[in-house]
Tab-separated table of all heavy atoms in Angstrom:
chain	number	residue	atom	x	y	z
A	146	ALA	N	-45.066	6.381	-8.724
A	146	ALA	CA	-44.607	4.997	-8.899
A	146	ALA	C	-44.175	4.661	-10.326
A	146	ALA	O	-43.146	3.995	-10.515
A	146	ALA	CB	-45.687	4.040	-8.415
A	147	PRO	N	-44.906	5.079	-11.377
A	147	PRO	CA	-44.434	4.758	-12.727
A	147	PRO	C	-43.081	5.376	-13.072
A	147	PRO	O	-42.414	4.911	-14.004
A	147	PRO	CB	-45.549	5.330	-13.615
A	147	PRO	CG	-46.769	5.336	-12.752
A	147	PRO	CD	-46.256	5.677	-11.387
A	148	TYR	N	-42.673	6.429	-12.351
A	148	TYR	CA	-41.370	7.045	-12.599
A	148	TYR	C	-40.240	6.321	-11.871
A	148	TYR	O	-39.078	6.425	-12.251
A	148	TYR	CB	-41.366	8.511	-12.165
A	148	TYR	CG	-42.145	9.443	-13.057
A	148	TYR	CD1	-42.582	10.677	-12.576
A	148	TYR	CD2	-42.464	9.115	-14.369
A	148	TYR	CE1	-43.296	11.561	-13.383
A	148	TYR	CE2	-43.184	9.973	-15.184
A	148	TYR	CZ	-43.595	11.203	-14.673
A	148	TYR	OH	-44.298	12.072	-15.473
A	149	GLY	N	-40.557	5.634	-10.760
A	149	GLY	CA	-39.513	4.948	-10.017
A	149	GLY	C	-39.693	5.093	-8.526
A	149	GLY	O	-40.812	5.229	-8.028
A	150	THR	N	-38.574	5.094	-7.834
A	150	THR	CA	-38.591	5.092	-6.378
A	150	THR	C	-37.713	6.209	-5.829
A	150	THR	O	-36.934	6.837	-6.564
A	150	THR	CB	-38.060	3.753	-5.839
A	150	THR	OG1	-36.666	3.637	-6.204
A	150	THR	CG2	-38.836	2.585	-6.410
A	151	LEU	N	-37.822	6.424	-4.539
A	151	LEU	CA	-36.958	7.384	-3.869
A	151	LEU	C	-35.498	6.967	-4.014
A	151	LEU	O	-34.603	7.820	-4.183
A	151	LEU	CB	-37.347	7.486	-2.397
A	151	LEU	CG	-36.728	8.610	-1.576
A	151	LEU	CD1	-37.045	9.973	-2.161
A	151	LEU	CD2	-37.226	8.530	-0.123
A	152	GLU	N	-35.242	5.675	-3.983
A	152	GLU	CA	-33.869	5.179	-4.154
A	152	GLU	C	-33.336	5.497	-5.545
A	152	GLU	O	-32.140	5.793	-5.711
A	152	GLU	CB	-33.823	3.666	-3.907
A	152	GLU	CG	-34.027	3.247	-2.460
A	152	GLU	CD	-35.451	3.428	-1.965
A	152	GLU	OE1	-36.387	3.395	-2.812
A	152	GLU	OE2	-35.640	3.605	-0.733
A	153	ASP	N	-34.204	5.466	-6.553
A	153	ASP	CA	-33.781	5.847	-7.906
A	153	ASP	C	-33.347	7.310	-7.950
A	153	ASP	O	-32.358	7.654	-8.607
A	153	ASP	CB	-34.926	5.628	-8.895
A	153	ASP	CG	-35.240	4.166	-9.140
A	153	ASP	OD1	-34.338	3.321	-8.973
A	153	ASP	OD2	-36.407	3.857	-9.476
A	154	VAL	N	-34.094	8.162	-7.257
A	154	VAL	CA	-33.747	9.583	-7.227
A	154	VAL	C	-32.412	9.791	-6.521
A	154	VAL	O	-31.572	10.585	-6.971
A	154	VAL	CB	-34.855	10.404	-6.545
A	154	VAL	CG1	-34.466	11.881	-6.498
A	154	VAL	CG2	-36.184	10.233	-7.269
A	155	GLU	N	-32.205	9.075	-5.432
A	155	GLU	CA	-30.932	9.187	-4.723
A	155	GLU	C	-29.781	8.710	-5.602
A	155	GLU	O	-28.690	9.306	-5.611
A	155	GLU	CB	-31.001	8.384	-3.422
A	155	GLU	CG	-31.965	8.988	-2.403
A	155	GLU	CD	-32.217	8.086	-1.209
A	155	GLU	OE1	-31.995	6.863	-1.337
A	155	GLU	OE2	-32.642	8.603	-0.156
A	156	GLU	N	-29.997	7.639	-6.371
A	156	GLU	CA	-28.962	7.161	-7.287
A	156	GLU	C	-28.692	8.197	-8.382
A	156	GLU	O	-27.531	8.446	-8.741
A	156	GLU	CB	-29.383	5.836	-7.923
A	156	GLU	CG	-28.343	5.274	-8.870
A	156	GLU	CD	-28.758	3.948	-9.486
A	156	GLU	OE1	-29.654	3.273	-8.926
A	156	GLU	OE2	-28.191	3.581	-10.541
A	157	LEU	N	-29.738	8.798	-8.905
A	157	LEU	CA	-29.577	9.824	-9.924
A	157	LEU	C	-28.781	11.003	-9.387
A	157	LEU	O	-27.848	11.491	-10.050
A	157	LEU	CB	-30.953	10.289	-10.415
A	157	LEU	CG	-30.977	11.513	-11.340
A	157	LEU	CD1	-30.172	11.256	-12.610
A	157	LEU	CD2	-32.411	11.896	-11.679
A	158	THR	N	-29.132	11.467	-8.209
A	158	THR	CA	-28.421	12.602	-7.612
A	158	THR	C	-26.946	12.276	-7.424
A	158	THR	O	-26.065	13.085	-7.756
A	158	THR	CB	-29.061	12.975	-6.264
A	158	THR	OG1	-30.445	13.280	-6.469
A	158	THR	CG2	-28.379	14.175	-5.643
A	159	GLY	N	-26.655	11.080	-6.917
A	159	GLY	CA	-25.267	10.674	-6.729
A	159	GLY	C	-24.513	10.559	-8.036
A	159	GLY	O	-23.338	10.955	-8.134
A	160	ALA	N	-25.173	10.029	-9.075
A	160	ALA	CA	-24.524	9.877	-10.376
A	160	ALA	C	-24.232	11.232	-11.010
A	160	ALA	O	-23.206	11.418	-11.671
A	160	ALA	CB	-25.403	9.031	-11.298
A	161	LEU	N	-25.127	12.198	-10.824
A	161	LEU	CA	-24.869	13.549	-11.313
A	161	LEU	C	-23.682	14.164	-10.587
A	161	LEU	O	-22.767	14.721	-11.214
A	161	LEU	CB	-26.112	14.420	-11.128
A	161	LEU	CG	-27.260	14.187	-12.096
A	161	LEU	CD1	-28.536	14.874	-11.602
A	161	LEU	CD2	-26.902	14.707	-13.499
A	162	HIS	N	-23.671	14.066	-9.278
A	162	HIS	CA	-22.579	14.640	-8.496
A	162	HIS	C	-21.251	13.995	-8.859
A	162	HIS	O	-20.207	14.671	-8.903
A	162	HIS	CB	-22.864	14.487	-7.008
A	162	HIS	CG	-23.982	15.361	-6.529
A	162	HIS	ND1	-24.588	15.188	-5.296
A	162	HIS	CD2	-24.623	16.408	-7.112
A	162	HIS	CE1	-25.538	16.099	-5.145
A	162	HIS	NE2	-25.581	16.844	-6.237
A	163	ALA	N	-21.248	12.696	-9.139
A	163	ALA	CA	-20.011	12.010	-9.522
A	163	ALA	C	-19.447	12.542	-10.833
A	163	ALA	O	-18.240	12.456	-11.085
A	163	ALA	CB	-20.265	10.500	-9.631
A	164	ARG	N	-20.306	13.098	-11.667
A	164	ARG	CA	-19.882	13.684	-12.933
A	164	ARG	C	-19.648	15.187	-12.816
A	164	ARG	O	-19.473	15.863	-13.831
A	164	ARG	CB	-20.934	13.402	-14.016
A	164	ARG	CG	-21.018	11.945	-14.438
A	164	ARG	CD	-22.249	11.692	-15.305
A	164	ARG	NE	-22.253	10.359	-15.894
A	164	ARG	CZ	-22.636	9.254	-15.257
A	164	ARG	NH1	-23.041	9.325	-13.991
A	164	ARG	NH2	-22.604	8.083	-15.877
A	165	GLY	N	-19.728	15.711	-11.607
A	165	GLY	CA	-19.535	17.141	-11.421
A	165	GLY	C	-20.734	17.969	-11.822
A	165	GLY	O	-20.610	19.170	-12.093
A	166	MET	N	-21.912	17.349	-11.828
A	166	MET	CA	-23.138	18.020	-12.241
A	166	MET	C	-24.061	18.185	-11.036
A	166	MET	O	-23.889	17.539	-9.999
A	166	MET	CB	-23.818	17.223	-13.362
A	166	MET	CG	-22.945	17.054	-14.603
A	166	MET	SD	-23.552	15.782	-15.747
A	166	MET	CE	-24.986	16.607	-16.439
A	167	LYS	N	-25.058	19.045	-11.177
A	167	LYS	CA	-25.981	19.363	-10.095
A	167	LYS	C	-27.366	18.794	-10.379
A	167	LYS	O	-27.721	18.514	-11.526
A	167	LYS	CB	-26.091	20.878	-9.930
A	167	LYS	CG	-24.757	21.596	-9.691
A	167	LYS	CD	-24.208	21.364	-8.306
A	167	LYS	CE	-23.002	22.255	-8.044
A	167	LYS	NZ	-22.429	22.042	-6.702
A	168	MET	N	-28.148	18.696	-9.306
A	168	MET	CA	-29.512	18.177	-9.383
A	168	MET	C	-30.495	19.264	-8.947
A	168	MET	O	-30.377	19.818	-7.851
A	168	MET	CB	-29.644	16.955	-8.461
A	168	MET	CG	-31.054	16.446	-8.291
A	168	MET	SD	-31.676	15.599	-9.745
A	168	MET	CE	-33.072	14.712	-9.031
A	169	VAL	N	-31.448	19.569	-9.811
A	169	VAL	CA	-32.463	20.588	-9.543
A	169	VAL	C	-33.839	19.936	-9.644
A	169	VAL	O	-34.120	19.211	-10.602
A	169	VAL	CB	-32.367	21.755	-10.538
A	169	VAL	CG1	-33.427	22.817	-10.251
A	169	VAL	CG2	-30.964	22.383	-10.489
A	170	MET	N	-34.682	20.188	-8.650
A	170	MET	CA	-36.029	19.624	-8.661
A	170	MET	C	-37.071	20.721	-8.772
A	170	MET	O	-36.828	21.877	-8.397
A	170	MET	CB	-36.283	18.799	-7.398
A	170	MET	CG	-35.482	17.514	-7.344
A	170	MET	SD	-35.893	16.460	-5.931
A	170	MET	CE	-37.531	15.895	-6.387
A	171	ASP	N	-38.219	20.352	-9.296
A	171	ASP	CA	-39.363	21.258	-9.348
A	171	ASP	C	-40.022	21.289	-7.974
A	171	ASP	O	-40.187	20.243	-7.330
A	171	ASP	CB	-40.376	20.774	-10.388
A	171	ASP	CG	-40.796	21.872	-11.346
A	171	ASP	OD1	-41.223	22.932	-10.858
A	171	ASP	OD2	-40.688	21.674	-12.567
A	172	LEU	N	-40.380	22.489	-7.522
A	172	LEU	CA	-41.098	22.646	-6.265
A	172	LEU	C	-42.422	23.336	-6.574
A	172	LEU	O	-42.436	24.474	-7.039
A	172	LEU	CB	-40.277	23.478	-5.278
A	172	LEU	CG	-40.840	23.599	-3.862
A	172	LEU	CD1	-40.719	22.266	-3.126
A	172	LEU	CD2	-40.125	24.692	-3.073
A	173	VAL	N	-43.522	22.642	-6.338
A	173	VAL	CA	-44.854	23.133	-6.699
A	173	VAL	C	-45.630	23.333	-5.403
A	173	VAL	O	-46.212	22.390	-4.862
A	173	VAL	CB	-45.590	22.149	-7.624
A	173	VAL	CG1	-46.887	22.764	-8.132
A	173	VAL	CG2	-44.695	21.729	-8.778
A	174	VAL	N	-45.634	24.561	-4.888
A	174	VAL	CA	-46.228	24.793	-3.578
A	174	VAL	C	-47.237	25.942	-3.575
A	174	VAL	O	-47.683	26.363	-2.505
A	174	VAL	CB	-45.132	25.043	-2.510
A	174	VAL	CG1	-44.377	23.758	-2.223
A	174	VAL	CG2	-44.171	26.146	-2.934
A	175	ASN	N	-47.611	26.451	-4.739
A	175	ASN	CA	-48.778	27.331	-4.771
A	175	ASN	C	-50.045	26.510	-4.559
A	175	ASN	O	-51.016	26.981	-3.984
A	175	ASN	CB	-48.866	28.068	-6.109
A	175	ASN	CG	-50.155	28.857	-6.240
A	175	ASN	OD1	-50.350	29.858	-5.567
A	175	ASN	ND2	-51.079	28.374	-7.084
A	176	HIS	N	-50.000	25.276	-5.042
A	176	HIS	CA	-51.166	24.388	-4.961
A	176	HIS	C	-50.681	22.959	-4.793
A	176	HIS	O	-49.512	22.643	-5.014
A	176	HIS	CB	-52.023	24.509	-6.229
A	176	HIS	CG	-51.214	24.404	-7.487
A	176	HIS	ND1	-50.749	25.516	-8.161
A	176	HIS	CD2	-50.759	23.339	-8.195
A	176	HIS	CE1	-50.058	25.143	-9.228
A	176	HIS	NE2	-50.051	23.822	-9.262
A	177	SER	N	-51.580	22.096	-4.408
A	177	SER	CA	-51.310	20.663	-4.339
A	177	SER	C	-52.359	19.945	-5.188
A	177	SER	O	-53.185	20.581	-5.848
A	177	SER	CB	-51.363	20.167	-2.892
A	177	SER	OG	-52.711	20.073	-2.439
A	178	SER	N	-52.335	18.642	-5.137
A	178	SER	CA	-53.424	17.856	-5.714
A	178	SER	C	-54.607	17.816	-4.743
A	178	SER	O	-54.432	17.905	-3.526
A	178	SER	CB	-52.957	16.430	-5.986
A	178	SER	OG	-54.062	15.567	-6.243
A	179	ASP	N	-55.805	17.662	-5.286
A	179	ASP	CA	-56.958	17.472	-4.399
A	179	ASP	C	-56.940	16.086	-3.757
A	179	ASP	O	-57.759	15.790	-2.876
A	179	ASP	CB	-58.268	17.717	-5.149
A	179	ASP	CG	-58.536	16.702	-6.248
A	179	ASP	OD1	-57.593	15.968	-6.655
A	179	ASP	OD2	-59.677	16.637	-6.731
A	180	GLN	N	-55.995	15.239	-4.185
A	180	GLN	CA	-55.847	13.917	-3.572
A	180	GLN	C	-54.820	13.916	-2.442
A	180	GLN	O	-54.585	12.872	-1.822
A	180	GLN	CB	-55.443	12.888	-4.635
A	180	GLN	CG	-56.478	12.712	-5.736
A	180	GLN	CD	-57.847	12.358	-5.185
A	180	GLN	OE1	-57.990	11.379	-4.459
A	180	GLN	NE2	-58.853	13.154	-5.530
A	181	HIS	N	-54.185	15.054	-2.201
A	181	HIS	CA	-53.243	15.138	-1.089
A	181	HIS	C	-54.001	14.955	0.227
A	181	HIS	O	-55.138	15.414	0.374
A	181	HIS	CB	-52.527	16.482	-1.106
A	181	HIS	CG	-51.261	16.502	-0.302
A	181	HIS	ND1	-51.235	16.371	1.069
A	181	HIS	CD2	-49.962	16.623	-0.682
A	181	HIS	CE1	-49.988	16.403	1.502
A	181	HIS	NE2	-49.187	16.562	0.458
A	182	ALA	N	-53.354	14.302	1.177
A	182	ALA	CA	-53.989	14.077	2.476
A	182	ALA	C	-54.397	15.383	3.141
A	182	ALA	O	-55.421	15.438	3.839
A	182	ALA	CB	-53.036	13.294	3.390
A	183	TRP	N	-53.614	16.447	2.930
A	183	TRP	CA	-53.982	17.738	3.517
A	183	TRP	C	-55.349	18.201	3.031
A	183	TRP	O	-56.174	18.667	3.809
A	183	TRP	CB	-52.964	18.810	3.150
A	183	TRP	CG	-51.547	18.526	3.523
A	183	TRP	CD1	-51.088	17.654	4.460
A	183	TRP	CD2	-50.397	19.141	2.940
A	183	TRP	NE1	-49.725	17.686	4.514
A	183	TRP	CE2	-49.266	18.585	3.603
A	183	TRP	CE3	-50.194	20.103	1.960
A	183	TRP	CZ2	-47.961	18.970	3.277
A	183	TRP	CZ3	-48.902	20.492	1.639
A	183	TRP	CH2	-47.800	19.920	2.298
A	184	PHE	N	-55.559	18.088	1.704
A	184	PHE	CA	-56.819	18.598	1.158
A	184	PHE	C	-57.985	17.687	1.531
A	184	PHE	O	-59.103	18.165	1.758
A	184	PHE	CB	-56.736	18.761	-0.354
A	184	PHE	CG	-57.936	19.463	-0.931
A	184	PHE	CD1	-58.121	20.822	-0.725
A	184	PHE	CD2	-58.902	18.767	-1.652
A	184	PHE	CE1	-59.242	21.479	-1.228
A	184	PHE	CE2	-60.020	19.420	-2.158
A	184	PHE	CZ	-60.185	20.774	-1.949
A	185	ARG	N	-57.732	16.407	1.590
A	185	ARG	CA	-58.803	15.502	1.996
A	185	ARG	C	-59.310	15.855	3.394
A	185	ARG	O	-60.514	15.821	3.657
A	185	ARG	CB	-58.305	14.054	1.948
A	185	ARG	CG	-58.108	13.521	0.535
A	185	ARG	CD	-57.601	12.092	0.565
A	185	ARG	NE	-57.516	11.524	-0.780
A	185	ARG	CZ	-57.029	10.320	-1.056
A	185	ARG	NH1	-56.586	9.552	-0.068
A	185	ARG	NH2	-56.987	9.887	-2.305
A	186	GLU	N	-58.375	16.200	4.263
A	186	GLU	CA	-58.783	16.629	5.595
A	186	GLU	C	-59.488	17.978	5.540
A	186	GLU	O	-60.532	18.181	6.160
A	186	GLU	CB	-57.558	16.721	6.505
A	186	GLU	CG	-56.965	15.386	6.893
A	186	GLU	CD	-55.919	15.542	7.978
A	186	GLU	OE1	-56.211	16.180	8.999
A	186	GLU	OE2	-54.787	15.020	7.792
A	187	SER	N	-58.913	18.894	4.786
A	187	SER	CA	-59.441	20.257	4.742
A	187	SER	C	-60.868	20.292	4.196
A	187	SER	O	-61.710	21.052	4.685
A	187	SER	CB	-58.520	21.139	3.893
A	187	SER	OG	-58.889	22.488	3.961
A	188	ARG	N	-61.145	19.479	3.201
A	188	ARG	CA	-62.469	19.519	2.577
A	188	ARG	C	-63.510	18.785	3.401
A	188	ARG	O	-64.713	18.941	3.167
A	188	ARG	CB	-62.395	18.929	1.169
A	188	ARG	CG	-62.365	17.412	1.116
A	188	ARG	CD	-62.030	16.812	-0.224
A	188	ARG	NE	-62.690	17.427	-1.347
A	188	ARG	CZ	-62.447	17.117	-2.623
A	188	ARG	NH1	-61.546	16.174	-2.912
A	188	ARG	NH2	-63.083	17.715	-3.591
A	189	SER	N	-63.071	17.965	4.370
A	189	SER	CA	-64.009	17.105	5.087
A	189	SER	C	-64.967	17.894	5.964
A	189	SER	O	-66.145	17.555	6.067
A	189	SER	CB	-63.249	16.079	5.931
A	189	SER	OG	-62.498	16.724	6.953
A	190	SER	N	-64.469	18.956	6.614
A	190	SER	CA	-65.351	19.755	7.465
A	190	SER	C	-64.637	21.031	7.892
A	190	SER	O	-63.402	21.106	7.885
A	190	SER	CB	-65.773	18.965	8.717
A	190	SER	OG	-64.699	18.888	9.638
A	191	LYS	N	-65.418	22.007	8.301
A	191	LYS	CA	-64.853	23.261	8.790
A	191	LYS	C	-64.186	23.094	10.156
A	191	LYS	O	-63.425	23.960	10.582
A	191	LYS	CB	-65.945	24.325	8.887
A	191	LYS	CG	-66.567	24.689	7.555
A	191	LYS	CD	-67.690	25.705	7.729
A	191	LYS	CE	-68.379	25.986	6.410
A	191	LYS	NZ	-69.498	26.961	6.558
A	192	GLY	N	-64.451	21.985	10.818
A	192	GLY	CA	-63.863	21.759	12.129
A	192	GLY	C	-62.568	20.976	12.089
A	192	GLY	O	-61.952	20.761	13.138
């Protein structure tokens, strides 16, 4: 939230493309946050 919104990202991507530039994002998938809903479920129980 302090960085902005999904709409801001879409505007940024469009503005880059309008200038003939590309948009590259970081993908962090070796790990997540322990606050991710997946981990909250995973840590809750073995079942």
Side-chain angles (χ1 to χ4, degrees):
Y148 287 159
T150 65
L151 190 58
E152 290 71 26
D153 290 334
V154 179
E155 292 170 339
E156 181 179 340
L157 171 60
T158 302
L161 285 167
H162 290 166
R164 290 169 171 81
M166 300 165 73
K167 304 287 188 181
M168 171 73 163
V169 180
M170 291 185 70
D171 230 307
L172 186 71
V173 188
V174 289
N175 173 70
H176 49 265
S177 75
S178 166
D179 66 344
Q180 298 305 304
H181 198 294
W183 303 339
F184 188 72
R185 288 179 175 176
E186 289 190 51
S187 188
R188 78 191 316 174
S189 65
S190 75
K191 297 177 184 179

